[in-house]
Amino acid sequence: MLCQSSTELMELVTLVKPYTKQGKVANYIPALGRANPSDLSISVFNIHSSKCQSAGDISVRFTLQSISKVITLALALVDHDEEYVFNKVGMEPTGDPFNSIIKLEMLSPSKPLNPMINAGALVVTSMIKGGTVQEKLERIMSFVRKLSGNNDISYSEEVAISEYNTGSLNRALCYYMKQHNVLDANVEELMELYTKQCSIETTCFDLAQIGAVMANNGTCPITGERFIPIEIAKICKTFMVTCGMYNASGEFAIRVGIPAKSGVSGGILGIVPNEAGIGVYSPSLDEKGNSVAGLKLLEILSKKHNFSMF
Ligand code: DON
């Protein structure tokens, strides 16, 4: 399916373009540092008309990074019941950066506070069913292909290796949780799966389609087929509101007011419940790891169309 260009979105991209000069492209994963900071794109998929509109550098592909945490949470909840999943990972926002270890040490048991932070996402990824890393990765990728309607989706080997080779902090989180019996996985295998999951590549159009399924309560707006059980879609959207933008989730709820999930690649998945899925991309990030221009695009669009749920 094609995404049409839209005058409204083109004007919005022009208006927001100067914000791409603010912030910094993530480079703690070295391969991400090669992104072009002036890239800016947006797609909006309306679930009622099944039409997609877009503007900006929409052919640019970027890695999901933390946006993948919503996908793996949904899949883990398909693979296991809620009790099993939330016995190992909590439901509360942290107020801390996404890769912080501090609450793990302060709380007993040292279970991660939610599935959107790195510690929680690592535990969730360890729950994905499959005999081998490859099999588990294939299940995650097929799920992304189904949700986005794009069978060509794959992952960037370059970004995955780059994160695998430099991810000492995530390894530290894993070993800490392993010591405290919260995590039971082989850490190197889990790191391989997690870094590959984070390196799945999409465009903002793919994100808008994924968002549209969630905005439509788990059902594909084009075919009517159920892709995610309704209760699971609801849990994912709720976590996106409370924890999706990390320690900026409160401000985002006030300024934009929709479920959203950011990634350090500069992508943001947005959901306007019962209305639309939104994908935005711009790689320059603020100090909390969220796309500066992406946030601005969403803020202006939300105010204009009264998207806020609150
Ligand atoms: O684990 C990491 O650090 C990255 N693969 C993902 C972090 C991320 O995207 C945080 N989001 N803003």
Side-chain angles (χ1 to χ4, degrees):
M1 202 187 137
L2 280 176
C3 209
Q4 296 166 338
S5 59
S6 139
T7 318
E8 181 199 350
L9 294 181
M10 270 153 64
E11 284 170 9
L12 187 60
V13 163
T14 308
L15 182 72
V16 170
K17 196 81 174 180
Y19 286 87
T20 61
K21 295 201 168 60
Q22 293 180 19
K24 278 223 285 278
V25 171
N27 59 10
Y28 76 97
I29 299 173
L32 292 183
R34 293 194 259 284
N36 178 355
S38 65
D39 278 348
L40 178 61
S41 55
I42 179 163
S43 290
V44 180
F45 190 103
N46 181 305
I47 66 170
H48 303 297
S49 63
S50 279
K51 285 214 171 81
C52 182
Q53 298 201 310
S54 63
D57 311 288
I58 49 162
S59 59
V60 176
R61 290 195 301 166
F62 51 90
T63 54
L64 285 178
Q65 297 304 328
S66 286
I67 300 169
S68 67
K69 292 169 178 171
V70 180
I71 314 271
T72 45
L73 174 64
L75 199 54
L77 285 165
V78 167
D79 284 353
H80 307 274
D81 60 26
E82 273 179 47
E83 204 190 318
Y84 179 92
V85 173
F86 296 119
N87 188 24
K88 295 201 184 301
V89 54
M91 299 182 180
E92 301 303 335
T94 66
D96 299 323
F98 62 86
N99 51 9
S100 176
I101 199 165
I102 193 160
K103 292 272 168 34
L104 286 181
E105 200 176 3
M106 283 163 65
L107 297 170
S108 180
S110 73
K111 124 181 173 181
L113 272 169
N114 70 69
M116 301 290 115
I117 51 172
N118 285 10
L122 285 157
V123 172
V124 167
T125 295
S126 78
M127 295 175 184
I128 302 297
K129 285 189 177 163
T132 60
V133 169
Q134 192 50 36
E135 230 175 272
K136 294 175 193 179
L137 178 68
E138 266 312 318
R139 288 193 62 231
I140 299 170
M141 288 201 299
S142 330
F143 195 39
V144 178
R145 288 183 192 125
K146 191 154 119 176
L147 295 174
S148 63
N150 180 355
N151 282 328
D152 294 333
I153 281 188
S154 189
Y155 72 97
S156 159
E157 186 74 35
E158 185 202 355
V159 176
I161 288 176
S162 182
E163 182 174 9
Y164 184 82
N165 287 341
T166 55
S168 304
L169 192 47
N170 282 338
R171 277 188 181 82
L173 293 171
C174 289
Y175 282 115
Y176 193 93
M177 292 190 290
K178 208 165 156 134
Q179 178 70 35
H180 291 273
N181 299 317
V182 181
L183 185 74
D184 184 33
N186 173 303
V187 173
E188 287 312 308
E189 281 179 15
L190 177 58
M191 282 295 293
E192 184 188 344
L193 180 59
Y194 174 80
T195 52
K196 287 180 175 171
Q197 144 205 333
C198 287
S199 304
I200 294 174
E201 286 186 307
T202 61
T203 62
C204 60
F205 173 46
D206 297 319
L207 285 191
Q209 290 239 79
I210 296 170
V213 173
M214 304 198 60
N216 203 28
N217 301 309
T219 301
C220 175
I222 304 166
T223 62
E225 195 185 334
R226 175 153 299 284
F227 288 161
I228 308 174
I230 190 162
E231 275 310 314
I232 296 180
K234 198 166 163 180
I235 291 171
C236 291
K237 281 183 280 187
T238 312
F239 274 122
M240 289 169 81
V241 169
T242 56
C243 316
M245 308 301 281
Y246 305 109
N247 42 338
S249 298
E251 185 175 344
F252 187 85
I254 288 172
R255 291 194 194 282
V256 186
I258 60 170
K261 182 78 207 81
S262 62
V264 281
S265 53
I268 304 176
L269 166 67
I271 297 165
V272 187
N274 305 309
E275 289 294 332
I278 305 176
V280 301
Y281 171 66
S282 182
S284 265
L285 309 179
D286 62 19
E287 67 290 347
K288 292 180 176 171
N290 297 322
S291 166
V292 179
L295 288 174
K296 202 69 200 166
L297 270 185
L298 288 173
E299 185 180 348
I300 298 174
L301 199 65
S302 174
K303 293 223 159 85
K304 188 168 172 212
H305 293 277
N306 207 10
F307 281 159
S308 174
M309 299 163 64
F310 304 104

